[in-house]
Amino acid sequence: MKKAVAAEPVKKAAAAKSVKKKAAAAKPVKSVTKTAAAKSAKSVTKAAAAKSAKSVTKTAAAKSAKSVTKAAAEPESRTALVRRARRINRELAEVYPYAHPELDFENPFQLLVATVLSAQTTDLRVNQTTPALFAKYPTPEDLAAANPEEVEELIRPTGFFRAKTKSIMGLAAALRDEFGGEVPGRLEDLVKLPGVGRKTAFVVMGNAFGRPGITVDTHFGRLVRRWKWTQETDPDKVEKAVGELFPKSDWTMLSHRVIFHGRRICHARKPACGACPIAPLCPAYGEGETDPEKAKKLLKYEKGGFPGQRLKPPQSYLDAGGIPAPPLGAAAPPATGE
C-alpha cells in the first residue's frame, strides 16, 4: 500500500512535466503560424496595392489617350485659335516687358545695314562688327564711295562678306542717288534696295519709323508652327497668316516677343519646356526637356544669367537684369544665374 501511495506523486509530477512540454512545443507553432499569416497578409496587401497602382496607371493612360484622340478628332476652331494666340502674346508681354530689336543702331541707316549683315549669323556678331564699320562710314554717301576690299575686311566676321559688301554698298548708293541719302519709310521703297526683302523692310519700318510689321525670321517661323498658328513655311505666307490673328498695332512687339522667346527658352533642338511660362497653351509641350531643374539649365541670355546680344541695350533691358554683350575680342562676363 505504501508503495502505491509513494508512486502517486511521482506520476502526478511526470504528468505535469509532460503537459508543460506540450505547451512549450505548442507556443512556437502558434507563433510561427501568426508570423506566416502576417507575412501572407502583407504579401497580399502589396500585391493588391501593385494591382491597384497598375490599374490606376492604365486608367490614367487610357484617359490621356482618349483626351489626345478627342483633341485630334476635334480641331481647334478659328475663334479658339485667335483667343489662344492672343493669350500667348499677353503672357509673353509679361515675361519679356523689355523685348526689343537685338541689333545696335542709332539711326535708320545703321539699322538697315545691320539687318542686312545679320543674315546667316547672330545679332551679337553683327553688333560686335558694326562699330568699326559705322565709325569709318557713318553715312550712305561714305559707304557708297568706299573701297570694297576695305569694307570686306571690316565685315568679314559676319560671314558671306563679299556678297554682303556688294549689298550694303549697293543700298548705300541707291539711298544716295534715289532718296537723297535718307532711308525711306515705305515698304515698297525699301524692298527695291539691294539685299532688302520684306523681313528687313519690316524690321526697319517697325523699329526706325514706328510702322507696324511682322518680322518672320527663323525663330518666329519655327515657334508659330509649334504653336499651330499656321503650318505655312514660306515667310510671306507666315506673315499673312499670323497677321490675321492680331491687330496691326501688335505686330512689331509681337515679333520681338516671339523672337526673344525662341532665343531664350523655346530653342530649335532642345526647348526648355519645363521652364516655359506658356507651356499650358503650347500644343508642342513635351518636345523638349520637361523636368523643371534640367530645363532651367537650358535657358539662354538673361534668362540663364548670360550676356545678351547688344553691346548697347535699352535701359529697360538693363533694369530687368540684362547684361550687355562684350565687344569683339573681349571676354564675356561670367554667368550670374537667374
Side-chain angles (χ1 to χ4, degrees):
M1 279 301 283
K2 281 184 180 179
K3 283 183 182 179
V5 171
E8 192 80 21
V10 172
K11 284 181 182 178
K12 285 182 179 179
K17 195 173 182 181
S18 174
V19 168
K20 281 182 182 178
K21 279 184 179 179
K22 284 180 181 177
K27 276 182 183 177
V29 172
K30 193 174 182 183
S31 175
V32 168
T33 306
K34 280 184 179 178
T35 305
K39 280 185 178 177
S40 175
K42 196 173 182 182
S43 175
V44 169
T45 306
K46 279 185 178 177
K51 194 173 182 181
S52 175
K54 195 173 181 182
S55 174
V56 169
T57 305
K58 279 185 177 178
T59 304
K63 280 184 179 178
S64 178
K66 193 174 180 182
S67 175
V68 170
T69 306
K70 190 176 180 183
E74 297 176 9
E76 190 174 37
S77 70
R78 179 70 181 178
T79 301
L81 170 60
V82 170
R83 285 176 179 167
R84 183 169 62 85
R86 294 186 181 186
R87 187 176 168 193
I88 287 176
N89 184 37
R90 290 195 298 273
E91 296 282 346
L92 293 180
E94 291 184 13
V95 179
Y96 309 108
Y98 47 77
H100 57 270
E102 294 193 87
L103 289 168
D104 282 324
F105 69 98
E106 295 177 359
N107 55 56
F109 172 62
Q110 289 187 0
L111 178 59
L112 178 59
V113 171
T115 307
V116 172
L117 293 178
S118 69
Q120 305 299 316
T121 190
T122 63
D123 287 356
L124 170 59
R125 185 47 58 92
V126 174
N127 292 336
Q128 292 174 327
T129 304
T130 51
L133 178 70
F134 295 142
K136 192 163 187 178
Y137 311 111
T139 68
E141 292 82 1
D142 295 324
L143 184 56
N147 180 332
E149 291 181 0
E150 291 180 4
V151 175
E152 286 178 4
E153 197 55 39
L154 284 170
I155 69 169
R156 183 183 289 270
T158 67
F160 304 97
F161 57 91
R162 290 191 180 89
K164 289 180 180 179
T165 293
K166 188 176 179 181
S167 291
I168 63 174
M169 288 188 68
L171 71 82
L175 293 176
R176 178 195 62 193
D177 300 339
E178 299 173 32
F179 298 98
E182 298 293 330
V183 176
R186 298 193 313 161
L187 176 65
E188 52 268 39
D189 292 329
L190 285 166
V191 294
K192 291 176 183 176
L193 299 172
V196 178
R198 289 178 69 87
K199 171 195 159 187
T200 299
F202 280 132
V203 169
V204 174
M205 287 170 58
N207 299 290
F209 297 104
R211 295 176 184 171
I214 292 177
T215 304
V216 184
D217 70 351
T218 54
H219 299 289
F220 190 94
R222 173 167 51 80
L223 266 62
V224 299
R225 283 188 288 274
R226 270 185 181 164
W227 297 337
K228 299 197 182 302
W229 290 2
T230 179
Q231 292 302 316
E232 299 290 353
T233 55
D234 178 81
D236 292 351
K237 291 180 180 178
V238 171
E239 176 200 320
K240 183 177 185 300
V242 175
E244 290 173 351
L245 301 176
F246 298 90
K248 268 191 174 184
S249 56
D250 287 352
W251 287 359
T252 299
M253 286 309 299
L254 169 72
S255 300
H256 292 324
R257 291 166 191 151
V258 173
I259 293 169
F260 254 60
H261 193 62
R263 285 175 171 164
R264 286 151 179 78
I265 297 177
C266 195
H267 314 131
R269 294 183 183 175
K270 206 168 184 182
C273 294
C276 181
I278 60 165
L281 301 170
C282 181
Y285 175 78
E287 283 187 12
E289 181 57 66
T290 56
D291 180 84
E293 289 305 312
K294 291 180 181 177
K296 193 175 179 182
K297 294 177 182 177
L298 300 174
L299 301 178
K300 295 182 180 178
Y301 302 112
E302 75 282 352
K303 289 297 177 186
F306 298 100
Q309 300 206 71
R310 290 187 69 163
L311 279 66
K312 297 178 180 179
Q315 189 59 45
S316 59
Y317 178 75
L318 298 174
D319 292 342
I323 306 168
L328 194 63
T336 58
E338 270 203 328

